[in-house]
Amino acid sequence: MPEPAVDVMAQKYQSLLRRTERLHVSYRKAVMLVGGEKRLERLMLEEKVRYSKPEGSSNTMWRFNFADIIRNVKPLANSPYFCGSL
């Protein structure tokens, strides 16, 4: 891959992380993105993802920081799109 293309991809990734810093996703979306419930629980224990559960009632949703989830997304095994398109 040419060097300028790598720089552009890195800039886009950093921009994406900055823009998603204030956004939150639900538990189900976080599980889907990181690659499984056990992986998400391990990331929570290792404090690699920030999360909160608003106080009040017991049925409130967990909220996960979207930027942390993106940083820990498990790559797809058979993903020819990214490598083949550049």
Side-chain angles (χ1 to χ4, degrees), residues 22-84:
R22 294 187 196 116
L23 299 177
H24 295 89
V25 293
S26 68
Y27 182 82
R28 287 186 186 199
K29 290 285 185 186
V31 166
M32 181 188 70
L33 291 170
V34 298
E37 192 171 342
K38 295 292 183 188
R39 181 174 164 84
L40 179 60
E41 290 174 4
R42 181 177 52 81
L43 292 169
M44 290 168 66
L45 288 173
E46 294 173 357
E47 297 180 359
K48 291 187 177 181
V49 294
R50 290 171 281 174
Y51 61 94
S52 65
K53 184 171 183 175
E55 295 183 24
S57 62
S58 60
N59 60 349
T60 55
M61 290 179 27
W62 287 93
R63 297 166 39 112
F64 292 87
N65 182 277
F66 195 31
D68 292 344
I69 296 297
I70 290 174
R71 282 186 193 97
N72 292 287
V73 166
K74 187 173 183 178
L76 297 174
N78 300 337
S79 183
Y81 169 73
F82 180 71
C83 296

Side-chain angles (χ1 to χ4, degrees), residues 8-18 67 70-72:
V8 169
M9 291 299 291
Q11 289 174 350
K12 288 182 178 184
Y13 176 72
Q14 291 299 323
S15 176
L16 177 68
L17 291 178
R18 279 194 304 271
I70 290 174
R71 282 186 193 97
N72 292 287

